Amino acid sequence: MTITTAAVATRSRAGAAGGTAAVVAPDDSAYLEAFARHGWRTVAVTAEAGQRPLAYRGEPLPACYGTTVVHRGLRQTVKTLRAMGVTAVLPGSAEGIELAERISWHLHLPGGDPASSPLRRDRGIQAAALVRHGLSAPRTIRTASLSDALDWAAAHPLPSYLLAPAATGVPVDAVACATAQHISLAWPAMRRLAAIYSGDQRLCLTESLPARQYLVTTTSRPGPDQRPDHSVYDVWADVRSADGQMDRADLLDSGTLLTRALSLATVRALDVLGVVHGPVTTRLAYRAGEDEDTNSGGPMVIAALAAPAATPADTVLRTSTGRDRTADVLDAWIPPAAGQLVPASRPRTHVTRVHLSLPDTGLPGWLEDVLHRLPTTAAVHEHAPPPPYAAAPLSAEVVLASTDPTAIEDDYRLIRALESSDPVLRHRPHRTPPTPAAREGHS
């Protein structure tokens, strides 16, 4: 088990140019552009429309992929990619994890074992595996049967539960359920959404965790002894309002004991989940000082997704710290020349991602103009409208960055004041302020 720091983006890959990478089920052009900067060709691999989850059947591939291989059978796809000289295969989204690993296996290229692929994309299977190996995970049942879920809840009486698709990476929010009646009411819609987005109707009923939640992004690659080295890219701390809505996410200093504990827990989980190559985003819960029992000793892994992650804060991180998330991921397939990997310095810039819930009319123009004028605003990103199958609200994200944490707090409070003063924005779901405990430890 190895932890290394992310590396700066400016480095040489002399002699590494000229390869071909297959990106399976890409949902943007980030990999194409990153590989192209190093002289690599990319080809998109996608399933036939009728074989994709229903939610994605009408979505076109990113237009910039000039070469596309339509997957109509593993044998034919492998033969085609071998003829193209493909030397790297990676998932371009959660949808592509399983197929990318199967293709890599048959091409004898680095990648996860396809026999254990669900470990890297299914929260229920992940929880069971983590507990078997002595790691903390939420108490969970993974099932397609409502009666089994209700029986489990009766045998595990808890103040609250969360109901979510078993597949990670599905853009459907978990639903909080306090009683068996709540579970029964939420079950049909959640099962339908799980099937639409993942092709899998199984759901996970999980204990609702009162602890703070964190997001850790990593990249893995084979080390000198062929055991995976896991590089922690960044760690974010969620701050939620008292009613559970997302309020903000703060980038944690890489040198703190908290960040170290979260990183160690993540790396242990990645080894259990069989991660050997590429990016993973891991969500954890942790409350310092919890009793050391089976389910609450140290950081607890909620779910991990072995697919690329992109946020509106990536540009800020690249310019302020020298770290580039996509370049770091490329190291798993295009190793830098010997002696060229330079450890990144600890970030000196404080970064906060402020979440805004929007009405159906989107972000008001006057507010967008004000947001861009704030001293610490680095980006204002209005997320794409939610897919037609999910009744998710519109949202936006404001990235604040500064070497002065007080300046970020001043702008954050101003954003919330402006939000509260606008009669249109006040129609969004009510957000109660974060509790004092939720803000502890953040600058």
Side-chain angles (χ1 to χ4, degrees):
M1 178 177 72
T2 303
I3 300 178
T4 59
T5 58
V8 298
T10 55
R11 51 218 165 173
S12 170
R13 289 186 174 85
T20 300
V23 184
V24 183
D27 62 5
D28 60 31
S29 61
Y31 279 158
L32 182 151
E33 296 163 357
F35 275 109
R37 286 196 295 269
H38 300 287
W40 276 55
R41 175 189 175 206
T42 51
V43 54
V45 179
T46 183
E48 289 186 284
Q51 300 301 316
R52 301 185 70 192
L54 181 60
Y56 305 111
R57 290 181 184 177
E59 290 189 3
L61 284 173
C64 49
Y65 281 87
T67 303
T68 299
V69 172
V70 178
H71 174 67
R72 296 187 174 92
L74 186 60
R75 182 177 180 179
Q76 182 61 42
T77 298
V78 170
K79 181 180 179 180
T80 301
L81 296 180
R82 183 180 287 118
M84 289 181 173
V86 166
T87 54
V89 180
L90 58 159
S93 64
E95 183 189 351
I97 294 172
E98 180 181 13
L99 181 56
E101 293 186 344
R102 291 168 62 199
I103 293 172
S104 295
W105 183 269
H106 285 273
L107 286 174
H108 306 292
L109 297 174
D113 182 352
S116 63
S117 182
L119 282 173
R120 293 171 288 282
R121 57 185 177 84
D122 188 299
R123 72 183 76 233
I125 293 175
Q126 290 172 357
L130 293 169
V131 170
R132 283 198 306 270
H133 286 80
L135 277 66
S136 296
R139 285 168 283 194
T140 302
I141 181 173
R142 172 183 178 270
T143 179
S145 167
L146 173 58
S147 61
D148 286 350
L150 294 176
D151 289 345
W152 181 86
H156 299 81
L158 297 168
S160 182
Y161 306 87
L162 288 178
L163 184 64
T168 56
V170 174
V172 180
D173 291 337
V175 174
C177 302
T179 66
Q181 182 180 16
H182 291 164
I183 297 170
S184 298
L185 289 173
W187 190 272
M190 184 63 71
R191 184 177 176 182
R192 175 176 175 269
L193 290 173
I196 286 172
Y197 281 100
S198 69
D200 187 345
Q201 297 185 23
R202 282 167 288 199
L203 306 181
C204 282
L205 186 64
T206 304
E207 65 174 312
S208 182
L209 301 171
R212 295 291 309 281
Q213 291 193 12
Y214 303 85
L215 204 64
V216 180
T217 59
T218 57
T219 298
S220 303
R221 63 187 64 79
D225 59 355
Q226 295 307 303
R227 292 176 59 84
D229 283 345
H230 306 296
S231 299
V232 176
Y233 183 78
D234 50 25
V235 181
W236 296 87
D238 283 357
V239 177
R240 295 183 179 271
S241 58
D243 51 6
Q245 293 188 71
M246 187 64 185
D247 183 82
R248 59 188 276 179
D250 296 313
L251 179 66
L252 295 185
D253 189 322
S254 61
T256 66
L257 291 176
L258 172 60
T259 304
R260 181 69 177 174
L262 293 167
S263 299
L264 286 170
T266 299
V267 167
R268 290 182 64 198
L270 296 182
D271 286 337
V272 169
L273 301 179
V275 174
V276 296
H277 232 79
V280 179
T281 302
T282 306
R283 179 166 291 280
L284 304 96
Y286 182 50
R287 180 192 292 146
E290 287 181 313
D291 293 334
E292 296 289 333
D293 60 37
T294 302
N295 285 305
S296 63
M300 179 183 295
V301 175
I302 298 173
L305 179 63
T311 76
D314 288 350
T315 300
V316 175
L317 295 175
R318 182 169 59 250
T319 57
S320 64
T321 70
R323 299 176 303 174
D324 184 290
R325 186 193 304 275
T326 305
D328 193 45
V329 169
L330 259 60
D331 288 345
W333 286 273
I334 315 177
Q340 295 299 315
L341 189 62
V342 181
S345 60
R346 288 173 54 184
R348 292 171 293 178
T349 301
H350 300 268
V351 182
T352 292
R353 296 160 53 192
V354 182
H355 180 86
L356 295 173
S357 297
L358 303 178
D360 293 339
T361 52
L363 184 66
W366 71 268
L367 179 57
E368 183 175 6
D369 182 62
V370 172
L371 293 174
H372 279 292
R373 294 173 183 270
L374 294 178
T376 68
T377 295
V380 179
H381 178 78
E382 188 168 359
H383 294 290
Y389 303 100
L394 291 176
S395 63
E397 195 171 294
V398 185
V399 180
L400 306 179
S402 175
T403 55
D404 179 7
T406 302
I408 288 181
E409 294 305 314
D410 289 344
D411 285 351
Y412 165 76
R413 286 192 291 268
L414 179 57
I415 290 171
R416 291 301 181 215
L418 292 170
E419 186 182 38
S420 299
S421 68
D422 184 82
V424 176
L425 292 174
R426 281 204 302 266
H427 287 295
R428 60 166 173 64
H430 180 63
R431 185 200 309 273
T432 55
T435 60
R439 299 297 306 281
E440 290 178 2
H442 291 281
S443 55

